[in-house]
Amino acid sequence: LDEFFPVAQRNYQEMESMLGISIWEKRPILRLLGSPEEINDWSSRCAHADYAQHLGERSDAGDWTPFLKPGFHFGIIRQAARVNFPKLLASFRDQILAADRLITTPFDYQSADQYLKEYDRVVFCEGYRALHNPFFPDLPWQLAKGEALIIRFKDPLAVKIVDMLKKTSLIAPLGDGLFWAGGSYQWHYPDLEPSAGERDYILQRLGEMVAAPFDIVDHVAGVRPSVKDRRPFLGPSKQHPRIYIYNGLGTKGALLAPFWAEHLAAHLLEGKAIEKEVNVIR
């Protein structure tokens, strides 16, 4: 966190300035502590010098108080933030379209050589679809489908909440009284659509945290490009040295992406070595 968080904050804030939007929302996570063991473990961790600047204890839940089940103690995670990716992606796409820097025609793997006649490198950033990339076969993927609910509490006081909430699930304010609630992990799944089973699973977890009634506004699903050794994939294809991959960011992509993008850029532009633990040839 000490390495990744400052780089993420700097990059996203630079993109805010470049695009004229607000996407970086630094806000703490209120951590619900239920059992004596959880409370003791948290207090012990807070007293550790390495964690003192990141973790703390709270006497109350603040604006979350009327929404929670009784009986919790509270911790706080100070170094946390949310990035508004829908706004970021839409704004960035508009800018590079306007600058004629985005090719929107469909891409297939057979056309890679054509692009290499014009460009120095082709870097594949495909998320879970990299499972089918012929230039990077047999990588140890461990893809994880996840689902989340978008909810709205019936109590109008919910619009005042800014802290994220964490116990068995994470609840993050999205603005306008909406909250993201999730997520879940499925290692085997028949399709990419939201499922009733995962909705019920998330609702069960939320029922362990909150007592206030809410409406389900939306139910979303996606696939995380996770890797068995929990390290990203950066570097060239064994088959083609000018074709690269940047992928495998897993469950913490928002945090990791800026750091490893800078690392890959330094390799491509300055010839710096790719760290062994993230090099795709490992």
Side-chain angles (χ1 to χ4, degrees), residues 28-142:
I29 299 175
L30 181 68
R31 183 68 163 85
L32 301 183
L33 307 170
S35 67
E37 290 80 11
E38 285 182 329
I39 297 167
N40 289 337
D41 288 346
W42 191 269
S43 296
S44 175
R45 187 61 59 89
C46 290
H48 197 288
D50 290 342
Y51 293 91
Q53 65 174 318
H54 302 300
L55 306 180
E57 296 176 283
R58 281 257 298 256
S59 60
D60 62 68
D63 290 330
W64 272 109
T65 300
F67 297 87
L68 301 180
K69 299 191 78 169
F72 288 117
H73 286 68
F74 309 104
I76 193 77
I77 303 173
R78 300 189 183 98
Q79 292 287 88
R82 173 182 172 262
V83 180
N84 188 333
F85 271 99
K87 183 189 288 188
L88 169 59
L89 294 173
S91 298
F92 187 66
R93 179 184 175 87
D94 288 345
Q95 185 179 90
I96 60 178
L97 267 174
D100 197 26
R101 294 178 59 201
L102 179 64
I103 301 169
T104 59
T105 54
F107 183 93
D108 61 70
Y109 297 116
Q110 288 71 34
S111 63
D113 283 333
Q114 294 299 316
Y115 282 97
L116 287 170
K117 293 177 180 178
E118 185 174 355
Y119 300 101
D120 295 329
R121 305 285 193 279
V122 169
V123 183
F124 283 100
C125 309
E126 304 169 278
Y128 75 92
R129 295 175 182 85
L131 181 68
H132 307 294
N133 190 317
F135 297 108
F136 299 94
D138 305 321
L139 293 180
W141 295 104
Q142 195 169 43

Side-chain angles (χ1 to χ4, degrees), residues 147-154 177-181 194-196 198-204 206 212-220:
E147 301 187 30
L149 302 178
I150 309 301
I151 64 174
R152 188 190 300 275
F153 288 102
K154 295 181 183 293
L178 294 174
F179 293 79
W180 184 100
S195 63
E198 294 303 296
R199 179 198 62 208
D200 294 343
Y201 172 78
I202 296 170
L203 289 174
Q204 176 189 339
L206 295 182
F214 57 82
D215 295 318
I216 298 175
V217 178
D218 199 3
H219 181 187
V220 296

Side-chain angles (χ1 to χ4, degrees), residues 156-174:
L157 290 176
V159 297
K160 297 173 57 180
I161 296 173
V162 295
D163 294 351
M164 293 182 276
L165 185 72
K166 180 79 170 74
K167 193 179 189 305
T168 50
S169 284
L170 177 73
I171 307 178
L174 301 178

